[in-house]
Structure formats: C-alpha cells, structure tokens
Amino acid sequence: DRLLHLEVRVVPYGQRQNLLIARDVTQLVNLEQTRRDFVANVSHELKTPLTVVRGYLETMSDSDLDPMWLRAISLMGDQTQRMSQLIDQLLVLSRLENTSNDYLQRTVDIPSMLQNIIRECQVLSGERKHNIELLLECDCSLKGNESELRSAFLNLVANAVHYTPDGGNILVHWRAQTLKSQDGESTSAVLSVVDDGVGISVNDLPRLTERFYRVDKGRSRDTGGSGLGLAIVKHAVRRNSGELKITSELGQGSNFSCHFSDEVVSKPAVSKCIGRT
Ligand code: ADP
C-alpha cells in the first residue's frame, strides 16, 4: 500500500516506437520532504528562545550599566535581530514549499502594490538617494496570492537598492505582452526590475536562486543579506503561475523579470503608458 513516486520519460525507439522509462524516485521525494519538515520545525522551535533572549537584551539596554557592556548588549541585539529575520525568511520559504495557496487567491491590483513597494524602498534607500522610477505600461491585475506576490516584488526592488551604488538608477516596469500562437492570441504580463548596479557574473547566474547562495559573501553580509531572498522570489512567482528570469552583466547592472501566464492576468492589456513616477 505504499505511495510510489515515479519519474517517467518517453524516448524514441527505432522508427515507429517509443520507449517508456520509469524510475522509482520515492526515496528522493521522501528525503526532500523530510528536509523541508526539518527546516520548518527547527525554524519554528528557534523562534521562542530567541524572542526571550531579545526581550532580556532590550531590558538590559535600558539599564545604567558600564558603557562597554551597553555597547556589547547593543551588538548582541543587532545579531539576534538578524537571526530573527533569517528565521522568518526560512519560515516563509517553507510555507511556500509546503502549502497550497489555492484558498488565498484573489484579484491583486499590481499597479498600486508597486507604488507602495517603491515608497518603502525609497525609505530603504535613505541618504543613498537612488533614482527609483515606476513605469506602468498596463493596468493589468493578477489573480493570485497578494502576500506572496508582494514579498516577491519587494525582495526584487530591495535587492536592486542594496546592490546599486549611491544615486544609481532603478526602473520598475509593469507591462503586458501579447503572444501569438496556433490557438490565437494570449496576453501575459511582465514585471521587470532593472538596475545599473554592481551586476552579476555569468558564472553566478545559474545558482542565484538557491537557498543561501550569495555572490560575494563579504559584501552581502554588509547589506545584512541572508541569501534566501531570491529563493523566496522564485517559489512565490512560480506558485502564482509566473516564471523568474534573470539577465545581468558584471559592473553594468541586472534585470530581474517575472513573466505571468495569461491564465492569471485578469484584465485586458492597455498598451499605452498609464503612469510614470
Ligand atoms: P541576499 O539576502 O544576499 O541579498 P538574495 O537571495 O536576495 O540574498 O540574493 C542572492 C545574491 O544575488 C546576493 O547576495 C547578491 O550577490 C545577488 N543579487 C541579488 N540581487 C542583485 C542585484 N539586483 N544586483 C546584483 N546582485 C544581486
């Protein structure tokens, strides 16, 4: 009564026949599930003790201890906050991997979501004063999970801010794309986040969306990065019928684009510019 997972391939055999090759991957699938459960459980269990430690550190930082101890407490506070963010990201990632999102589907107003995200990222840019431009070429909405889409888009714009030097340019572009096929026309929608920042070398591109992968560990640590952001983006976009594509050139800048299939684009395309801020 065991549930089997099979990987099936069809390969041509001779001139008119095909060969069906089935491989039992049950053990691999079970192992992957065990890994996911382990990460989810450990992350969850770490949350409570960490909250207690943070609480005590906060109380101690208000006391009249020697300045040397207060500095140490403040450093410990920063590091525990970093750990807490890491755990939150791990929990987001395991939710994306382990749960179905069918019940949270609704029509998401992407243009207003992008406007809010840009406001937040302007605050993040602070004194570094990036020129963040929003170009809305369509008013399409998406049928999907609002919080997942928001988390994906926010990660992309925040990364562009992190990895673009002071005063650099970031373009957030929302547009519709009409694709012609044998079955007729379909309208997909594309979000691109383009920056003229540090860029990524061609060797690093294929591994970028792996968990914990960071191009330059020293530089990434400076920005407080964990290497989980793009893994979250990839899963969140995929769960909402989209695909993440990345192009980049070292020293020139990057383009992260999310392509959403016509099944989730809920408004007909408007092919004029409806806004630029
Ligand atoms: P992190 O938390 O380190 O930012 P991410 O998963 O979001 O982790 O990104 C993985 C790595 O990809 C980053 O460490 C960085 O090296 C690279 N990266 C992400 N976005 C950009 C970007 N817009 N420009 C250049 N490099 C980027």
Side-chain angles (χ1 to χ4, degrees):
D1 320 328
R2 211 157 58 91
L3 181 68
L4 273 186
H5 293 271
L6 295 178
E7 188 186 77
V8 180
R9 272 194 311 146
V10 181
V11 289
Y13 183 71
Q15 280 193 329
R16 286 154 140 237
Q17 290 172 358
N18 284 326
L19 205 60
L20 192 77
I21 303 176
R23 191 163 74 104
D24 180 356
V25 289
T26 315
Q27 228 180 349
L28 269 180
V29 171
N30 289 347
L31 212 64
E32 176 62 13
Q33 190 55 47
T34 311
R35 183 196 62 74
R36 286 178 188 171
D37 292 348
F38 175 76
V39 173
N41 292 339
V42 169
S43 314
H44 199 260
E45 292 303 320
L46 283 175
K47 257 191 108 70
T48 317
L50 199 58
T51 311
V52 176
V53 173
R54 288 185 67 189
Y56 276 112
L57 284 174
E58 238 169 85
T59 314
M60 284 159 80
S61 68
D62 287 337
S63 62
D64 50 4
L65 281 169
D66 185 281
M68 186 190 80
W69 289 117
L70 286 178
R71 250 197 323 277
I73 288 166
S74 154
L75 279 176
M76 286 192 274
D78 291 347
Q79 292 306 314
T80 46
Q81 187 180 354
R82 200 163 128 63
M83 273 168 79
S84 228
Q85 278 167 357
L86 191 64
I87 290 170
D88 286 342
Q89 280 189 309
L90 278 170
L91 285 171
V92 169
L93 197 54
S94 46
R95 250 197 310 276
L96 286 172
E97 289 178 326
N98 283 333
T99 59
S100 133
N101 70 344
D102 296 346
Y103 61 101
L104 283 170
Q105 299 275 331
R106 64 189 199 87
T107 301
V108 185
D109 176 355
I110 302 296
S112 5
M113 178 186 275
L114 293 175
Q115 272 155 1
N116 288 334
I117 287 177
I118 282 178
R119 247 173 258 135
E120 272 178 57
C121 288
Q122 264 151 354
V123 176
L124 192 71
S125 165
E127 290 295 299
R128 301 179 59 211
K129 297 231 178 304
H130 293 93
N131 169 31
I132 311 178
E133 190 181 350
L134 173 64
L135 175 57
L136 296 171
E137 267 191 276
C138 74
D139 55 0
C140 302
S141 336
L142 289 181
K143 191 168 172 295
N145 180 312
E146 184 165 15
S147 95
E148 290 176 7
L149 289 167
R150 189 175 190 290
S151 154
F153 298 165
L154 180 62
N155 261 302
L156 290 181
V157 188
N159 270 352
V161 169
H162 281 315
Y163 300 106
T164 301
D166 297 7
N169 299 300
I170 296 162
L171 173 69
V172 180
H173 187 185
W174 179 234
R175 66 184 199 277
Q177 219 176 28
T178 305
L179 301 170
K180 288 193 180 115
S181 70
Q182 286 170 336
D183 310 326
E185 279 190 356
S186 62
T187 301
S188 63
V190 185
L191 171 84
S192 312
V193 179
V194 187
D195 65 60
D196 60 2
V198 297
I200 302 152
S201 88
V202 70
N203 297 335
D204 288 306
L205 280 179
R207 299 197 56 196
L208 225 52
T209 55
E210 285 175 19
R211 291 177 201 85
F212 296 112
Y213 190 80
R214 288 179 280 177
V215 173
D216 175 341
K217 291 167 179 63
R219 190 175 62 204
S220 301
R221 202 165 293 127
D222 285 347
T223 66
S226 62
L228 288 172
L230 288 179
I232 291 178
V233 174
K234 184 176 95 176
H235 278 88
V237 170
R238 189 183 284 168
R239 266 162 66 101
N240 286 278
S241 307
E243 194 195 344
L244 173 68
K245 294 186 183 169
I246 310 171
T247 54
S248 186
E249 210 178 314
L250 200 59
Q252 302 295 314
S254 312
N255 182 342
F256 290 78
S257 55
C258 310
H259 299 247
F260 293 95
S261 86
D262 64 322
E263 288 153 37
V264 289
V265 179
S266 57
K267 262 195 179 182
V270 178
S271 57
K272 62 178 172 33
C273 177
I274 59 162
R276 186 187 271 267
T277 48

